[in-house]
Amino acid sequence: MKSCVSLCRPGPNVLLLLVKPSDFTEENRKTLKFILSLFGQDAFRYSMVVITDKKSGTHSTVNQLIRDCGGRYYNMFESDHRVLMQKIENIVHENKGTFLTFTEETIRPKSEHIKPSLNLVLCGRRGAGKTSAAKAILGQTELHSVSTSSECVKHQGEVCGRWVSLVELPALYGKPQEAVMEESFRCISLCDPEGVHAFILVLPVGPLTDEDKGELETIQNTFSSPVNDFTMILFTVESDPTHPAVGNFLRGDTDIKNLLQSYGGHYVVLNINDKQQIPELLDAVEKVRPSKESCSYTTETFARAQIEKIIQQDKHLTTLQSELKDLKTKNKDSCDEEKQSPESRESQVGKKT
């Protein structure tokens, strides 16, 4: 952004928002709105929508964006492009020739500091509710999907005054090792360069299934012990999360208690239909992040974990080889002693006579 603005110093007089209505989603509109906020709270006064699609029709997301821009728009397929220049000049005139400047602070009260962005990975077994959790966190009813549920997918949006990236990690349990490693590395790569600030393990409130346990073991084996420092558990419900039955279950189920202990007791029970709980969830995420230099799980962390596993496997193999060698030596010595024993020699003499 800074580089772009530097090419039109001292700053842009007009922002042209090129939009293809057939592909423009509500998520795109929110992303665009966030980017414009970097120019300050008056950015829309300097903006105009430019439609780049021949197809006509009503698109609510585009219409909302046009309203945000004060009704200003232009269709690229109009024959007279002088109209575009006239509309641009009108924007400049309305703003008395002033220009926009780039700021790293978004639209917030001056007393409130902008919070840093968050990169989160949602993990869990198939059917655990990762997509529902992503919709609840981002406040979106529709999310970008991929062609297959076995691929990572990244969602983004502004949540509680900060930019949040959510990566859905597909279920890993039962997959070939190559596929597990590929998707695991890809999910970390989608959070480059900052890395993953927190892994959110999504579980419905209920006893752990064999698939849950298999998924947990696969995640632990793949990302290794460092992942524990960045993980919290998100229990999802569709009713009151403070209901006594929920608390009684979490306190009474042995598997759940052991699981919570392994992740430092970091968890939230979220009613996915209650938007008021999202700030509580983000606060919990902040508490998970280690208060040390390594405040995120990066591709470098992942690589180091794999190298450490190889080293440990190599040490284990060396130990086994050493033990096997000792065993062979003992067996050989035992055989030699047996051949040299008096009983063995007398037996041989007896046979000769």
Side-chain angles (χ1 to χ4, degrees):
M1 288 287 290
K2 288 181 178 178
S3 176
C4 173
V5 173
S6 68
L7 296 175
C8 52
R9 293 185 184 279
N13 297 104
V14 177
L15 297 177
L16 299 179
L17 313 180
L18 275 62
V19 172
K20 185 178 180 181
S22 58
D23 294 338
F24 194 70
T25 65
E26 178 61 17
E27 184 177 350
N28 296 146
R29 189 185 72 83
K30 289 183 177 180
T31 301
L32 186 56
K33 185 176 180 180
F34 175 78
I35 293 172
L36 287 182
S37 72
L38 299 176
F39 289 99
Q41 59 184 358
D42 294 328
F44 278 111
R45 284 175 40 205
Y46 295 77
S47 303
M48 178 170 63
V49 175
V50 177
I51 296 175
T52 63
D53 197 341
K54 284 185 178 181
K55 298 178 181 178
S56 60
T58 301
H59 301 272
S60 58
T61 52
V62 176
N63 290 339
Q64 180 59 53
L65 183 62
I66 292 173
R67 286 194 292 271
D68 291 339
C69 294
R72 292 181 294 275
Y73 77 97
Y74 174 78
N75 193 317
M76 283 291 292
F77 296 94
E78 290 184 16
S79 57
D80 190 356
H81 293 315
R82 288 177 298 180
V83 175
L84 174 61
M85 292 307 302
Q86 184 59 54
K87 290 186 175 184
I88 290 174
E89 289 177 6
N90 289 343
I91 295 173
V92 175
H93 178 72
E94 289 171 5
N95 292 306
K96 299 180 180 179
T98 56
F99 54 86
L100 291 166
T101 56
F102 177 77
T103 173
E104 294 185 2
E105 293 186 359
T106 54
I107 305 172
R108 303 286 177 270
K110 290 184 179 179
S111 60
E112 182 181 347
H113 296 291
I114 184 171
K115 297 177 181 178
S117 61
L118 275 178
N119 295 330
L120 309 176
V121 170
L122 297 176
C123 48
R125 64 166 169 82
R126 297 172 187 83
K130 289 173 288 192
T131 301
S132 296
K135 289 179 179 178
I137 294 170
L138 294 176
Q140 300 174 10
T141 56
E142 295 296 330
L143 294 175
H144 169 68
S145 60
V146 292
S147 57
T148 170
S149 60
S150 63
E151 295 179 10
C152 290
V153 57
K154 182 176 182 178
H155 313 296
Q156 293 179 302
E158 188 181 1
V159 183
C160 301
R162 68 195 312 172
W163 191 247
V164 175
S165 295
L166 282 177
V167 177
E168 281 188 64
L169 177 66
L172 302 176
Y173 177 57
K175 284 186 176 181
Q177 183 63 19
E178 183 179 353
V180 169
M181 295 302 294
E182 181 180 346
E183 283 306 310
S184 299
F185 182 75
R186 184 165 181 265
C187 100
I188 306 299
S189 300
L190 288 173
C191 296
D192 275 347
E194 295 89 353
V196 181
H197 295 122
F199 290 82
I200 299 179
L201 176 61
V202 182
L203 291 172
V205 174
L208 294 179
T209 65
D210 290 340
E211 193 173 356
D212 284 322
K213 294 175 182 178
E215 189 68 26
L216 289 169
E217 184 178 358
T218 304
I219 290 171
Q220 185 66 52
N221 291 340
T222 303
F223 295 97
S224 297
S225 57
V227 76
N228 293 359
D229 295 333
F230 299 91
T231 302
M232 67 167 287
I233 304 173
L234 178 64
F235 294 104
T236 58
V237 295
E238 295 185 4
S239 55
D240 182 7
T242 62
H243 193 281
V246 176
N248 291 338
F249 169 75
L250 297 180
R251 289 188 296 271
D253 188 279
T254 303
D255 287 337
I256 295 296
K257 286 195 295 184
N258 292 337
L259 184 63
L260 290 174
Q261 185 176 3
S262 64
Y263 292 125
H266 299 295
Y267 77 94
V268 168
V269 182
L270 174 70
N271 179 350
I272 58 175
N273 299 315
D274 184 5
K275 296 180 181 179
Q276 302 300 318
Q277 273 196 272
I278 303 305
E280 175 191 347
L281 173 61
L282 295 188
D283 287 343
V285 168
E286 285 292 348
K287 293 177 182 177
V288 171
R289 298 174 64 181
S291 56
K292 54 186 180 182
E293 188 174 333
S294 178
C295 61
S296 64
Y297 190 107
T298 64
T299 50
E300 183 181 350
T301 311
F302 185 79
R304 282 201 305 267
Q306 306 318 308
I307 292 171
E308 182 61 28
K309 281 196 295 183
I310 294 172
I311 292 172
Q312 293 302 321
Q313 289 170 356
D314 187 56
K315 287 181 179 179
H316 182 60
L317 181 60
T318 301
T319 301
L320 290 177
Q321 289 173 337
S322 177
E323 291 175 353
L324 181 60
K325 184 178 179 180
D326 291 343
L327 185 60
K328 286 180 178 180
T329 302
K330 288 179 181 179
N331 287 340
K332 183 177 182 301
D333 292 342
S334 177
C335 289
D336 290 342
E337 288 176 5
E338 185 178 342
K339 287 178 182 180
Q340 298 301 321
S341 65
E343 294 82 358
S344 177
R345 288 197 296 272
E346 288 175 3
S347 175
Q348 291 175 3
V349 171
K351 287 180 180 179
K352 289 180 180 180
T353 56

